[in-house]
Amino acid sequence: MSRQFWSPQTRGDDHRRASSAFTHTSICNAPRTTSTTQDSQPFLQQHAIRNPSFKMAPIYKIALIQFQPKDVSPSENFSLSASYIRKAASQGAQLAVLPEYHLTSWCPSHPDFLSSCVESCSYLSQYQSLAKELKIDIVPGTICEVHPSLSAEEVTATSSTGKDEERRVEVRNMAYFISGLTGEVVGRYQKRNLWHPEREHLTAWGKEGGRHRGFDIPGLMFPDGTPVRGGMLICWDMVFPEGFRELIGDGVELVVIPSFWLVTEDFGEGDEGERERARRGEEEFLRGVVVTRAFENTAAVVFVNAGGLSQVGLPGVGNQGGVMGVETEEMRVVEVDLGRGRGLERRYKIREDMRGVEWGYGVYHGEERKGGGR
C-alpha cells in the first residue's frame, strides 16, 4: 500500500507510482482510491440540478462528532457513529467527521487490540455505503489497519524461528475522505508523526519519503468553478507546521484532523498542582493551535478530538461555532465559509509568497514546487 497521501488528480509519475503502490496486498483489502476527473464534471452538474443539497462553496456545513470510543468494540462504536452521521445528515450537514481511533479506541496493551484492528477494516465499506445513501461526505476518524510487514519468504523464515505473530504485521493509522456523491474514497492519509507511546505499536508513513498531498472534494466548488481542495492530518501531526505548509503548497483550503488527545491524561507530574497546570496548558494549546494553523495558512482547519475541544478554526474569524467541552459526548454542526481563506490570501499573499522564487525556506523551490497552491 502506498505510504503517500495522494489523489488521482496527481499528474505524471506521481500518479503512476501511487496507482501501482495501492495494489499492495493487505489484510484489510482497502479500496482503490478514486476521485472526480474532468470527464465526470457533467455528472456533477446534473447532480446539482437533481439534488438541492448539492454542495457549492464557499458555505460547507460540517458535523463535528465528539465521543470517547469503547475499547476494542468496533461494532458498538460503529453503531454510535452511524447514528450520529444520520442525525448530522438530517440537520443538513454536508461533511461528518469522527475522532481518531473511533472504532477501537487506543488500548494497544489489550489482548484483543490487534484482532479488533483487523475487524475494524471491514467498516470502511459500510461508511462508503452510508455516505452514498445519505449524500454526505464522511471522514470516519481513523481506522487502524493491519498489513503484512514481511514478504512471503520472510514470513516463512520468521515462522520457523518461532517469533511472535505481531512481528509479521504492521498496524497503520489511516484516515479516509469518502465522497457523499458516489461513496468513493477520494483521499487517504497514513499518520506520519506518531506520539511517542504509539511508536512501539504503529508504523508511521515516511519510510519512502514523499510530501503531504491534497485532493479535490467532488461536488464542492467555488463560484468561479474551481474545486475546493481538501487535506488530512492526524492528531500529533498538528504540532508540526511543516505538514500544513506542504498541504497548502498543494492548494489545500480545508484541513481535517481526527484526534485522540486526552488533555486530562496523567504523565507522572509531581503534585496535583503540577498536574493541573499541565492539563490547563494542554487545553490552552489545543484551543490556540487550531486557530493559529488556520490563520497562518489561510485555510479552514477542522479538529475533531475524542478527548474534547473539537472545533473549526477559520482564518480571519477564529473558532467558528465555538469550542466543544472536555471529555463530553456531543455533535455540533458548524457552517463554514470556505471563501474566508481566499479572501485573506488576497490580503496576506502567503501562498503567493510560497510560490515565488524569493521564498527563503527551500521547501517549495524549483521542481518540488510544481503544481503549488491556488
Side-chain angles (χ1 to χ4, degrees), residues 97-119:
V97 184
L98 297 163
E100 184 183 22
Y101 300 126
H102 80 285
L103 290 173
T104 59
S105 189
W106 175 245
C107 49
S109 60
H110 194 290
D112 296 326
F113 180 70
L114 191 63
S115 61
S116 72
C117 291
V118 173
E119 179 187 348

Side-chain angles (χ1 to χ4, degrees), residues 69-101:
K70 292 188 176 181
D71 291 356
V72 296
S73 301
S75 177
E76 186 173 352
N77 292 325
F78 173 77
S79 295
L80 176 64
S81 300
S83 67
Y84 271 123
I85 293 171
R86 290 186 178 278
K87 181 179 178 182
S90 71
Q91 295 181 13
Q94 298 157 307
L95 168 65
V97 184
L98 297 163
E100 184 183 22
Y101 300 126

Side-chain angles (χ1 to χ4, degrees), residues 72-338:
V72 296
S73 301
S75 177
E76 186 173 352
N77 292 325
F78 173 77
S79 295
L80 176 64
S81 300
S83 67
Y84 271 123
I85 293 171
R86 290 186 178 278
K87 181 179 178 182
S90 71
Q91 295 181 13
Q94 298 157 307
L95 168 65
V97 184
L98 297 163
E100 184 183 22
Y101 300 126
H102 80 285
L103 290 173
T104 59
S105 189
W106 175 245
C107 49
S109 60
H110 194 290
D112 296 326
F113 180 70
L114 191 63
S115 61
S116 72
C117 291
V118 173
E119 179 187 348
S120 68
C121 294
S122 65
Y123 289 98
L124 179 59
S125 62
Q126 296 189 53
Y127 280 120
Q128 291 180 264
S129 298
L130 191 63
K132 188 174 182 180
E133 173 196 344
L134 299 176
K135 299 294 187 292
I136 185 172
D137 299 337
I138 300 174
V139 174
T142 68
I143 298 174
C144 284
E145 297 182 354
V146 182
H147 296 262
S149 61
L150 304 173
S151 66
E153 294 77 11
E154 289 172 318
V155 167
T156 302
T158 302
S159 299
S160 66
T161 62
K163 292 185 178 180
D164 294 336
E165 176 72 17
E166 287 81 356
R167 297 179 66 85
R168 305 209 302 269
V169 299
E170 64 181 34
V171 181
R172 303 174 188 170
N173 192 11
M174 304 295 302
Y176 290 93
F177 193 105
I178 303 169
S179 168
L181 287 178
T182 63
E184 294 174 327
V185 171
V186 297
R188 60 180 296 278
Y189 170 66
Q190 179 181 353
K191 189 173 185 179
R192 183 167 208 159
N193 297 289
L194 300 180
W195 174 232
H196 56 82
E198 295 175 314
R199 295 171 193 172
E200 180 182 352
H201 308 281
L202 302 180
T203 299
W205 166 52
K207 286 183 180 179
E208 297 87 1
R211 294 196 182 281
H212 292 271
R213 300 295 185 189
F215 51 90
D216 292 342
I217 301 176
L220 186 62
M221 292 177 282
F222 287 97
D224 64 4
T226 58
V228 174
R229 197 155 172 81
M232 294 184 290
L233 298 170
I234 300 172
C235 198
W236 194 238
D237 287 326
M238 185 170 58
V239 175
F240 305 98
E242 292 82 0
F244 287 85
R245 282 304 201 225
E246 289 187 354
L247 286 175
I248 69 165
D250 194 40
V252 167
E253 291 139 326
L254 173 69
V255 182
V256 180
I257 309 174
S259 180
F260 193 94
W261 190 314
L262 306 180
V263 299
T264 59
E265 192 170 1
D266 184 358
F267 287 99
E269 287 85 3
D271 57 28
E272 180 57 34
E274 289 184 26
R275 288 192 291 273
E276 180 59 27
R277 282 190 292 273
R279 287 192 288 266
R280 285 202 306 270
E282 292 212 358
E283 182 173 340
E284 288 304 312
F285 174 77
L286 289 180
R287 286 180 181 275
V289 71
V290 176
V291 174
T292 299
R293 296 288 181 257
F295 272 74
E296 68 189 5
N297 294 293
T298 59
V301 178
V302 180
F303 175 68
V304 177
N305 183 31
L309 304 175
S310 300
Q311 60 187 283
V312 176
L314 198 59
V317 175
N319 301 113
Q320 177 73 9
V323 181
M324 296 166 76
V326 174
E327 295 188 345
T328 60
E329 180 178 314
E330 55 181 304
M331 183 188 78
R332 183 173 298 179
V333 177
V334 180
E335 290 194 358
V336 179
D337 182 355
L338 294 173

